[in-house]
Amino acid sequence: MKVILAYSGGLDTSVIIRWLKEKFRAQVIAYTTNIGQPDNPSKLKEKALGTGASAFFCEDLRDKFVTEYILPSLQADALYQEKYPLATSLSRPLIASGLVALARKEKADTVAHGCTGKGNDQVRFELAFRYLAPELKILAPVREWEFRTREEEMEYAQRYHIPVSTTKKKPYSIDWNLWGISIECGVLEDPWNEPPEDVFQITVSPKKAPAKGEVITIHFEKGIPVKLNGRTLSPREIIEKLTEVGGRHGVGRIDLVEDRLVGIKSREIYEAPAAVILHTAHKELERLVMSREMFDFKLSLAPWYSRIIYYGQWFSHLRECLDGFIRESQRYVSGEVRLRLIKGNCLVVGRRSPFSLYEEKLATYSQGDIFDHTAAKGFIQIFGLPAVLEGERWRKDQK
Ligand code: ARG
């Protein structure tokens, strides 16, 4: 058996290498992607090979992640249950496709991941594997192995000299990429507990953020962020910069009780400064340039799009169809949004666009008003006919 393992270097995937070798005499190749997490690839390589992997591959997928996954989700205004920018969810089909490509190259017959049996990630990985390469056998050791507790797993790790870094002091499970960080476990499992400061990795406490805040300007072209404060940068550079700036002001902390695909509710803490800022700015620009029907209709698709991502249906015809609409909807989403980041808040303070549908001469209550006030009378007469008819019926009904 030749296995490609989605490897993170954490306790589970480290133990998996050993376990697959013991149980199946498998040859295990560890596969990692750089998607913006603060890992050191050479340390990971050392650890993977030291733990028994026959080879280690790390692929830099940051730009692919931004272009093919993050930007479409931004353009779709995709926030799961109105809050979660889907950083972890979006990364799974990307990692799965890299894994499949490597499996083909290495002529491996099996792929493996370290997800548990009650999370969403197992679904996302496996749906992607089955869509892309149904011939590959899928192994999920954490779902199947004999360890009943974390302690038993750690004992096994110690027996085989696998370095264990999870300590009792910081018992959080953290998933990290450039679109955001997901944090769970420990004291967070009681949704009444306020998250302690030590769960947060990249944002300062809003309490400690500078009182005046900071004003930034983001420039979009057809729904893609292209400039920050007047400087042209790649979308990835903008995300990285906004993570830093937003983090300084405590922007992007999200505390959410969400519905998992497997039916349970879970409490998750997210840190996603760049995602929160870009979603806020992008949607604001859409408000300015879209007709009300366009805006409302497009927004009605956002829960669909976010569910597709959350449920692991990235590779589906429905997503492609929605992408077709969303791409066209971005034709006029060009312009600038000015925001004040202040004490954990991301406030829109200005917006402008060459394609703006805002007409000051129509909106003004001061001089220069060109709105025909007299026409309103006839408009209301006709628009209000249904109200007249229903009103008559209602009055009769009262008697
Ligand atoms: N609840 C999030 C999701 O399903 C994040 C899951 C991973 N979280 C973690 N702490 N490992 O997308």
Side-chain angles (χ1 to χ4, degrees), residues 82-148:
E82 298 182 338
K83 284 173 93 173
Y84 166 39
L86 295 156
T88 299
S89 326
L90 280 165
S91 71
R92 296 321 188 212
L94 170 73
I95 296 169
S97 62
L99 211 87
V100 164
L102 184 62
R104 296 237 162 94
K105 219 170 92 207
E106 293 289 323
K107 301 199 173 18
D109 51 5
T110 306
V111 287
H113 62 73
C115 308
T116 70
K118 58 201 261 192
N120 299 309
D121 288 330
Q122 53 175 345
V123 184
R124 298 170 185 145
F125 274 129
E126 292 183 33
L127 260 53
F129 291 148
R130 298 180 72 168
Y131 181 91
L132 297 169
E135 74 280 7
L136 291 172
K137 190 170 160 19
I138 301 170
L139 283 179
V142 177
R143 255 180 353 215
E144 287 154 32
W145 62 28
E146 59 277 18
F147 317 123
R148 277 160 307 164

Side-chain angles (χ1 to χ4, degrees), residues 229-277:
N229 298 330
R231 261 188 69 206
T232 301
L233 297 169
S234 73
R236 167 150 78 85
E237 289 168 322
I238 292 178
I239 291 168
E240 287 163 354
K241 202 87 196 121
L242 288 176
T243 301
E244 201 183 300
V245 181
R248 270 210 299 274
H249 293 281
V251 170
R253 292 184 171 190
I254 298 160
D255 182 338
L256 177 63
V257 174
E258 72 191 31
D259 287 288
R260 281 196 195 162
L261 187 45
V262 295
I264 54 184
K265 285 194 187 287
S266 75
R267 194 273 192 100
E268 195 101 24
I269 300 297
Y270 299 106
E271 287 182 281
V276 165
I277 296 167

Side-chain angles (χ1 to χ4, degrees), residues 355-371:
F355 305 113
S356 169
L357 296 178
Y358 181 90
E359 181 53 77
E360 197 170 347
K361 292 205 241 18
L362 286 172
T364 184
Y365 285 99
S366 309
Q367 270 217 329
D369 181 8
I370 60 164
F371 186 85

Side-chain angles (χ1 to χ4, degrees), residues 269-286:
I269 300 297
Y270 299 106
E271 287 182 281
V276 165
I277 296 167
L278 285 171
H279 270 294
T280 305
H282 175 261
K283 196 190 274 181
E284 186 62 27
L285 203 52
E286 292 188 327

Side-chain angles (χ1 to χ4, degrees), residues 180-199:
I181 300 175
S182 309
I183 309 152
E184 39 182 30
C185 298
V187 292
L188 300 173
E189 284 175 357
D190 179 350
W192 182 249
N193 284 343
E194 181 171 359
E197 271 309 311
D198 73 339
V199 310

